[in-house]
Amino acid sequence: MGFNSSGTRRRRRIAGLVTIGTIAMSLAACGDGGSDDTAGGKVTITFMNDQVVAGMPLEEAIHKFEQENPDIKVDVLPVPSESDYEAKMRTSLASSKPPDIFRINDDYVQQFTQNGTLFDLAPYVKSAGLKDSDYAAQVFNFGKQSDGRMTSWQLGYQSTIVFYNVDAFKKAGLPLPPSTWSSKGWTTADFLADAQKMTDGTKMYGATVSAATNYEQTFTHNNGSQDGVYSADGKKFTLADPIGVQTVQWVADLTCKYHVQPAWADLLQDNADIQLFAQGKTAMLFEQSGSVPYLRQTIKSFDWDIAPPPAGAADQANEASVVSYAVPAKAKHHDAAFKLLNYLAGPEAGQILGKGGAFTPVNNQAAEAISKASSGAPKHADLLAEAAHHLTAGNKTNNTLGARAIYRPALDQVYNCKSSAQDVLSRARPQVEQALGQG
């Protein structure tokens, strides 16, 4: 299981177009954040968030929480700009009055844990009697540290799956991809063969994979790597090992050798891969499930559905992005903060938060209810809940962001068909491993 809340080299993802938003919200009741003091017997907790999306499911869930807990009021502090959010988040965490809860990129969890920024929620989990079996356990325990502390809290996850144009498959006379998590007729070789048959010059490309950087962990793991992108100790850049090199080259060759994938330059604009699929210009799209609401709203001219990632030689797993929040160690209302987070990860709030399909609730009961209640595209939305049983985890490091800042820009040369994956990853390896050692 690998999780990556930003997930990309890239640009801001579809959240700006629709709503990762189903989880990142601003509430109608929010003002300037109010006070985190206790007044008149009511505790006010502050909830720092990275999107302003009024009227989204989180608003409904928090209002229900407030109704059921009249002694607690929630003030949301929305910071809709990605760069502004990070700056304000760091400033707020360094202040004497940090927010009681804040949205955290999972790449920061280990670093912020080590420097003492995050509050340990493990005693609350134990006291509440929460059981792993009630949740997608790997997602639920993402914030658990090697010493037993739990320093981040997950509301759900976005699986990396294959979106496909049903009409394009039928027109090409191809059987549809599997509707369950199966490798029968659905390997990377099958994926490529289908992409070749559906490619029609520049009118229709068979697939887009390279824009979704989650492929690095997913495909490398499925092809047999024991480590994925980084070694278990977080110090080695194992994407530069033979299996990783072969994986990156295969993805680049979808453009450079097989001509079934758009040119890299056509995929650099924000969400270009998703928009090309929505426009009927690519037949298959490897992406996160957070794109579901946008595609539901946008696609009117053809039928589409989802399938699991194609199987590699060793496995058929997917990497998921987690929806993570954390409580600062210096926050004033730890009890009330946990009470809200626990509610948001529960079955009632989970069913509310899962509306629209932007992410799958971490609570199993809620996830199953969402799958059964799903109507319209994607027809096989139950695969999103099933994905929790087929996760691969990217190993954690102390400087993942620093490592990515080195090797992902370098990979442009591979995707642009100017250099081989072997050459680029080999050259990047010493710099990446130096960065990992500096974390």
Side-chain angles (χ1 to χ4, degrees):
M1 158 205 82
F3 307 108
N4 168 17
S5 60
S6 58
T8 64
R9 85 187 65 234
R10 106 179 92 196
R11 312 101 45 175
R12 294 186 72 175
R13 291 308 302 163
I14 203 73
L17 293 177
V18 174
T19 105
I20 224 170
T22 40
I23 50 99
M25 336 260 126
S26 142
L27 305 183
C30 75
D32 63 357
S35 166
D36 62 354
D37 295 330
T38 302
K42 177 174 285 193
V43 171
T44 298
I45 58 176
T46 49
F47 190 104
M48 189 174 183
N49 213 40
D50 62 347
Q51 292 282 319
V52 175
V53 186
M56 290 293 114
L58 186 60
E59 179 177 43
E60 180 182 348
I62 291 184
H63 283 167
K64 280 192 173 289
F65 171 81
E66 290 177 319
Q67 291 169 6
E68 296 176 17
N69 298 272
D71 58 330
I72 301 175
K73 180 180 182 295
V74 182
D75 273 358
V76 173
L77 311 177
V79 185
S81 165
E82 186 173 17
S83 57
D84 289 349
Y85 180 79
E86 179 154 330
K88 188 167 184 178
M89 176 193 71
R90 292 180 181 277
T91 299
S92 297
L93 293 178
S95 73
S96 60
K97 289 188 176 181
D100 293 296
I101 300 171
F102 72 103
R103 178 78 164 93
I104 185 170
N105 182 316
D106 59 17
D107 292 325
Y108 299 156
V109 172
Q110 185 162 315
Q111 175 186 348
F112 283 9
T113 297
Q114 290 180 340
N115 66 22
T117 299
L118 306 182
F119 180 69
D120 178 19
L121 297 168
Y124 288 84
V125 173
K126 182 177 181 180
S127 179
L130 303 183
K131 298 181 294 184
D132 286 1
S133 59
D134 290 334
Y135 304 89
Q138 291 175 303
V139 179
F140 181 71
N141 288 317
F142 173 77
K144 186 173 288 187
Q145 306 300 311
S146 58
D147 59 7
R149 288 181 294 167
M150 181 174 281
T151 53
S152 70
W153 190 261
Q154 286 57 244
L155 302 189
Y157 58 98
Q158 295 177 315
S159 307
T160 309
I161 54 176
V162 173
F163 296 86
Y164 66 92
N165 184 321
V166 174
D167 294 356
F169 269 81
K170 291 181 177 179
K171 182 179 179 181
L174 295 169
L176 298 179
S179 58
T180 59
W181 211 276
S182 170
S183 62
K184 185 177 181 180
W186 196 236
T187 65
T188 51
D190 297 317
F191 180 88
L192 174 57
D194 288 349
Q196 289 175 309
K197 290 178 181 177
M198 289 185 288
T199 296
D200 181 12
T202 59
K203 294 179 182 179
M204 166 77 79
Y205 287 97
T208 299
V209 175
S210 57
T213 53
N214 280 2
Y215 91 77
E216 295 168 359
Q217 172 66 27
T218 301
F219 284 17
T220 301
H221 166 86
N222 288 346
N223 286 337
S225 171
Q226 296 299 308
D227 293 306
V229 180
Y230 307 106
S231 60
D233 63 6
K235 296 180 180 179
K236 299 296 182 182
F237 182 45
T238 47
L239 186 65
D241 289 349
I243 291 177
V245 168
Q246 293 165 14
T247 297
V248 173
Q249 190 63 59
W250 184 85
V251 170
D253 281 347
L254 294 176
T255 296
C256 305
K257 181 178 180 180
Y258 302 109
H259 311 295
V260 300
Q261 178 172 248
W264 182 237
D266 295 334
L267 298 173
L268 292 178
Q269 185 178 353
D270 281 4
N271 312 303
D273 58 332
I274 299 166
Q275 293 179 30
L276 287 171
F277 178 77
Q279 294 163 8
K281 295 181 179 179
T282 54
M284 294 185 288
L285 169 68
F286 181 76
E287 256 299 352
Q288 293 180 353
S289 59
S291 303
V292 166
Y294 174 71
L295 296 177
R296 278 178 172 166
Q297 293 175 20
T298 305
I299 296 176
K300 307 297 181 184
S301 60
F302 61 89
D303 291 332
W304 61 279
D305 206 344
I306 60 173
D315 203 353
Q316 191 181 19
N318 80 104
E319 184 181 25
S321 296
V322 290
V323 179
S324 297
Y325 287 86
V327 176
K330 294 190 294 183
K332 187 172 183 179
H333 300 300
H334 292 152
D335 291 358
F338 175 77
K339 198 168 187 178
L340 173 59
L341 290 176
N342 189 27
Y343 173 79
L344 293 177
E348 181 179 62
Q351 291 187 49
I352 297 171
L353 295 174
K355 290 178 181 177
F359 74 96
T360 305
V362 68
N363 181 272
N364 290 332
Q365 182 181 335
E368 291 171 5
I370 291 295
S371 296
K372 292 176 181 177
S374 177
S375 60
K379 180 179 179 181
H380 296 104
D382 53 324
L383 283 168
L384 300 178
E386 190 176 353
H389 306 294
H390 303 275
L391 295 173
T392 171
N395 290 321
K396 298 177 182 178
T397 83
N398 290 335
N399 193 16
T400 298
L401 292 179
R404 288 177 181 168
I406 295 168
Y407 81 84
R408 283 188 173 163
L411 285 178
D412 285 354
Q413 294 296 306
V414 184
Y415 301 136
N416 278 321
C417 313
K418 295 180 178 179
S419 297
S420 70
Q422 177 69 61
D423 288 346
V424 168
L425 290 172
S426 295
R427 287 197 301 268
R429 184 170 211 156
Q431 294 174 281
V432 172
E433 292 182 350
Q434 181 180 12
L436 294 176
Q438 292 174 346

